[in-house]
């Protein structure tokens, strides 16, 4: 037989916090025994507990959002870090590998394919621009992306691209080196953005049109800063290039792979200008960048019957791509299909990993993601 007793949820009863603890009273007892001050105090404590509960719920949601933003924040240098938030005092550890698996189709293990934006975020380009061996490689890659791959970048990849570009500009302003390649990169990026925003419409690029307009203003500001840079002469009074014998000066000039650098060097002083007009110097430069067949198609002979190697070089540069050579590049493991930098290890399962590694030029890197 069930127990028939007074239900604790029945009307007329309530719980009031007293000095001795919580006490169950009726409405009459509450009106007779509990003072108004104590009743108000209990109400305030009840409201305070509710506020604490809501604050803790909002706090947990904010902590989860901060953790998610931290994991998705690709604008910072990818590294293994340990971050402590003062608000919640929670230690967040995450590790990001400096390689990426390039997959172009769905398998039993993976679904989908790797995109250019994903590869651009995962690889360590922020540290690469600090390395002299990789600087020109990254700049060339940024230029190729600016020419044709901007619509393929996601919102996070675009932010990462602009942050890396800003660091490149700041490095050039600090070191006062590689001015011309960076100016050409900014000019190429600005022209591409103008054509995408004005001619093709704002729907081509991911993001708000106002964000891209603001980025274009930053590009113009960086270009102006590079134009106003004044190269400082070294204060030391040691030996300079002009103090060396003419033979050593020519040997140093032969290490330059860009004819525009030779022209700029010849404008320093008349002595260097005479050496930069050496026909053998320009002949080796043409043979380095172009094939014999390409050279035979663009032969230019002067009145004295000699070949104009200097003019031929600039004519060939307008007709054919020049040879690209970098001290360090990205590598692709053909065995496990992992893209990585040469000095970073990757989990390769091949017996001889070095035999499966191929070097990638900036254009080869772009071609990997042309599906």
């Amino acid at each position: 037989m069930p127990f028939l007793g007074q239900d604790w949820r029945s009307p007329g009863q309530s719980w009031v916090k007293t000095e001795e603890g919580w006490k169950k009273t009726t409405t009459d007892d509450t009106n007779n025994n509990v003072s108004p001050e104590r009743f108000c105090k209990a109400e305030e404590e009840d409201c305070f507990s509710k506020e604490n509960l809501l604050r803790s719920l909002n706090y947990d949601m904010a902590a989860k959002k901060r953790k998610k933003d931290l994991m998705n924040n690709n604008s910072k240098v990818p590294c293994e870090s340990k971050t402590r938030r003062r608000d919640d005092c929670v230690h967040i550890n995450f590790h990001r590998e400096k390689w990426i698996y390039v997959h172009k189709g769905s398998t039993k293990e993976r679904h989908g394919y790797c995109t250019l934006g994903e590869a651009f975020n995962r690889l360590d380009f922020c540290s690469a621009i600090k390395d002299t061996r990789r600087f020109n490689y990254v700049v060339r890659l940024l230029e190729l992306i600016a020419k044709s791959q901007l619509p393929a970048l996601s919102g996070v990849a675009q932010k990462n691209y602009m942050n890396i570009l800003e660091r490149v500009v700041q490095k050039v302003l600090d070191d006062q080196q590689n001015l011309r390649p960076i100016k050409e990169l900014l000019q190429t990026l600005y022209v591409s953005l103008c054509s995408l925003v004005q001619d093709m419409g704002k729907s081509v690029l991911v993001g708000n049109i106002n964000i891209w307009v603001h980025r274009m203003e930053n590009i113009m500001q960086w270009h102006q800063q590079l134009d106003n840079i004044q190269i400082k002469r070294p204060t030391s009074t040691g030996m300079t290039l002009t103090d060396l014998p003419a033979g050593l000066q020519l040997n140093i000039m032969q290490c330059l792979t860009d004819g525009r650098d030779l022209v700029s060097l010849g404008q320093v002083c008349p002595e260097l200008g005479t050496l930069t007009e050496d026909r053998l110097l320009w002949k080796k430069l043409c043979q380095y960048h172009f094939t014999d067949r390409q050279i035979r198609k663009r032969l230019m002979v002067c009145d004295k019957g000699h070949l104009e190697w200097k003019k031929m070089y600039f004519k060939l540069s307008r007709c054919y791509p020049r040879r690209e050579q970098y001290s360090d590049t990205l590598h692709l493991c053909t065995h496990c299909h992992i893209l990585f930098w040469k000095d970073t290890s990757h989990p390769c399962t091949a017996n001889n990993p070095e035999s499966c590694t191929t070097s990638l030029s900036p254009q080869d890197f772009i071609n990997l993601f042309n599906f």
Side-chain angles (χ1 to χ4, degrees):
M1 181 176 180
F3 174 75
L4 299 177
Q6 187 179 9
D7 189 358
W8 64 276
R9 295 170 298 179
S10 62
Q13 295 180 353
S14 62
W15 290 85
V16 178
K17 187 175 182 181
T18 63
E19 296 179 356
E20 293 79 8
W22 287 93
K23 182 179 178 181
K24 182 172 67 173
T25 60
T26 60
T27 307
D28 297 336
D29 296 336
T30 303
N31 295 333
N32 297 331
N33 300 330
V34 181
S35 62
E37 294 80 3
R38 182 176 297 177
F39 181 79
C40 295
K41 183 178 180 180
E43 290 290 336
E44 292 178 356
E45 292 178 353
D46 190 17
C47 294
F48 182 73
S49 62
K50 292 181 180 179
E51 291 179 358
N52 288 340
L53 179 60
L54 294 176
R55 188 181 295 108
S56 62
L57 292 176
N58 294 334
Y59 173 76
D60 293 338
M61 295 177 61
K64 292 180 180 179
K65 186 177 184 301
R66 285 195 297 268
K67 183 177 179 180
K68 182 178 179 180
D69 293 341
L70 179 63
M71 298 299 295
N72 295 331
N73 187 10
N74 297 288
S75 61
K76 297 183 180 297
V77 180
C79 62
E80 182 179 0
S81 63
K82 184 177 183 180
T83 306
R84 179 172 182 175
R85 298 286 185 179
R86 294 182 179 179
D87 299 334
D88 50 3
C89 298
V90 176
H91 294 280
I92 301 174
N93 297 319
F94 70 96
H95 178 73
R96 171 168 295 170
E97 300 291 349
K98 298 180 181 179
W99 51 266
I100 185 171
Y101 176 76
V102 180
H103 53 102
K104 296 185 178 182
S106 300
T107 62
K108 294 181 180 180
E109 295 79 10
R110 302 182 70 104
H111 177 70
Y113 56 90
C114 180
T115 62
L116 175 63
E118 183 180 356
F120 189 78
N121 292 334
R122 289 284 301 277
L123 296 174
D124 193 12
F125 287 107
C126 291
S127 299
I129 60 177
K130 301 178 182 178
D131 194 340
T132 307
R133 301 171 301 170
R134 302 176 182 176
F135 181 82
N136 292 329
Y137 184 88
V138 176
V139 171
R140 177 58 178 168
L141 183 59
L142 294 177
E143 184 178 0
L144 291 177
I145 293 177
K147 286 182 178 180
S148 59
Q149 301 298 324
L150 286 177
L153 297 181
S154 61
V156 177
Q158 293 171 6
K159 183 179 178 181
N160 196 14
Y161 180 92
M162 297 302 298
N163 288 337
I164 293 176
L165 182 60
E166 183 178 3
R167 296 189 182 191
V168 169
V169 174
Q170 189 60 42
K171 177 178 173 57
V172 173
L173 293 175
D174 296 337
D175 299 343
Q176 297 184 351
Q177 298 177 3
N178 301 311
L179 291 178
R180 187 182 64 252
I182 306 305
K183 287 183 179 180
E184 294 177 353
L185 170 60
L186 295 178
Q187 183 66 24
T188 302
L189 180 59
Y190 187 82
V191 173
S192 299
L193 289 179
C194 289
S195 61
L196 291 174
V197 173
Q198 297 178 2
D199 299 337
M200 302 179 66
K202 62 180 180 180
S203 60
V204 177
L205 296 173
V206 178
N208 193 297
I209 186 64
N210 296 326
I211 297 178
W212 285 106
V213 172
H214 178 68
R215 290 171 178 173
M216 294 172 66
E217 294 176 355
N218 291 336
I219 294 172
M220 294 300 297
Q221 184 179 1
W222 294 337
H223 200 284
Q224 186 177 2
Q225 291 177 358
L226 293 176
D227 290 337
N228 297 333
I229 190 173
Q230 296 180 357
I231 299 178
K232 301 178 182 179
R233 292 182 177 272
T235 56
S236 60
T237 59
M239 181 176 294
T240 61
L241 179 62
T242 55
D243 297 332
L244 299 176
L248 292 178
Q249 294 181 17
L250 286 175
N251 291 336
I252 295 174
M253 293 177 184
Q254 290 178 1
C255 298
L256 300 177
T257 60
D258 196 335
R260 293 171 295 181
D261 293 334
L262 286 176
V263 175
S264 301
L265 183 60
Q267 297 174 354
V268 175
C269 62
E271 293 79 6
L272 293 177
T274 303
L275 291 177
T276 54
E277 296 295 332
D278 184 71
R279 295 179 57 254
L280 183 60
L281 186 64
W282 289 98
K283 178 181 178 180
K284 292 182 177 180
L285 194 61
C286 290
Q287 293 175 348
Y288 174 79
H289 286 285
F290 311 106
T291 62
D292 294 338
R293 183 178 179 181
Q294 293 173 347
I295 293 175
R296 288 194 299 267
K297 288 184 178 181
R298 307 293 175 179
L299 290 178
M300 299 180 65
V301 183
C302 63
D303 297 337
K304 297 181 180 181
H306 301 295
L307 293 177
E308 293 285 351
W309 290 105
K310 182 178 180 180
K311 295 182 180 179
M312 288 171 55
Y313 169 80
F314 289 105
K315 187 175 182 179
L316 290 169
S317 299
R318 293 191 295 267
C319 299
Y320 307 104
R322 292 178 299 176
R323 178 181 177 183
E324 297 182 3
Q325 186 175 2
Y326 305 97
S327 301
D328 192 7
T329 64
L330 286 170
H331 289 70
L332 178 67
C333 181
T334 57
H335 177 76
C336 51
H337 302 283
I338 288 181
L339 189 63
F340 63 100
W341 291 102
K342 186 177 181 180
D343 58 350
T344 58
S345 60
H346 71 284
C348 186
T349 58
N351 296 328
N352 189 7
E354 295 182 357
S355 61
C356 304
T357 302
T358 57
S359 178
L360 295 180
S361 65
Q363 186 61 51
D364 294 335
F365 174 82
I366 299 296
N367 295 337
L368 279 178
F369 306 98
N370 292 333
F371 307 127

